């Protein structure tokens, strides 16, 4: 059974930082591309960042220079370091594992940026 479990969300003031983690089980983690997505109420789920099995990365323009995605294949975990957070970053953040058209999603973790 495939499981992706996100953690690390919470309430943070503008300018603050958070690190999200997504722990995977039930898959050969190292061969999957991993992505972080986010969804705000009434909006579609958008890509934030992804990292391939070869560790190539890509970011949404809105987070470039502030967010960093990384992976630890020994721990079956992908991370999203978020710095200089803005109120517009408030959303539920989801991780996704992708391989040859097969996708698995986590349950999401809430990030709220507010003073």
């Amino acid at each position: 059974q495939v499981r992706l479990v996100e953690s690390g969300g919470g309430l943070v003031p503008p300018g603050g930082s958070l690190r999200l983690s997504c722990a995977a089980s039930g898959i050969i983690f190292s061969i999957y591309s991993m992505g972080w997505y986010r969804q705000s109420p009434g909006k579609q789920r958008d890509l934030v960042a992804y990292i391939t099995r070869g560790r190539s990365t890509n970011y949404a323009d809105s987070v470039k220079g502030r967010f960093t995605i990384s992976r630890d294949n020994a721990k079956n975990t992908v991370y999203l370091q978020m710095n200089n957070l803005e109120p517009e970053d408030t959303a539920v953040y989801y991780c996704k594992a992708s391989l040859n058209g097969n996708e698995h999603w986590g349950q999401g973790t809430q990030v709220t940026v507010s003073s």
Side-chain angles (χ1 to χ4, degrees):
Q1 180 181 1
V2 179
R3 288 192 70 201
L4 299 177
V5 180
E6 300 97 335
S7 61
L11 173 63
V12 63
S17 297
L18 284 174
R19 188 176 82 152
L20 305 183
S21 300
C22 172
S25 59
I27 58 173
I28 304 174
F29 179 81
S30 62
I31 67 173
Y32 276 74
S33 291
M34 299 298 299
W36 285 99
Y37 292 73
R38 66 187 181 187
Q39 187 169 21
S40 304
K43 295 187 178 180
Q44 66 182 17
R45 189 174 298 186
D46 291 327
L47 175 69
V48 175
Y50 73 77
I51 184 167
T52 67
R53 58 191 291 180
R55 300 182 186 271
S56 295
T57 59
N58 193 29
Y59 296 91
D61 287 343
S62 60
V63 307
K64 284 181 180 177
R66 300 189 297 123
F67 291 10
T68 302
I69 189 171
S70 61
R71 64 190 299 160
D72 185 337
N73 289 342
K75 295 183 178 180
N76 289 356
T77 300
V78 61
Y79 303 98
L80 186 68
Q81 178 66 44
M82 305 187 295
N83 297 328
N84 194 21
L85 282 159
E86 303 169 351
E88 293 74 22
D89 296 316
T90 295
V92 178
Y93 284 70
Y94 300 88
C95 72
K96 184 180 80 170
S98 303
L99 177 66
N100 297 333
N102 294 317
E103 298 181 347
H104 306 283
W105 290 90
Q107 84 291 347
T109 186
Q110 176 71 46
V111 171
T112 302
V113 184
S114 175
S115 54

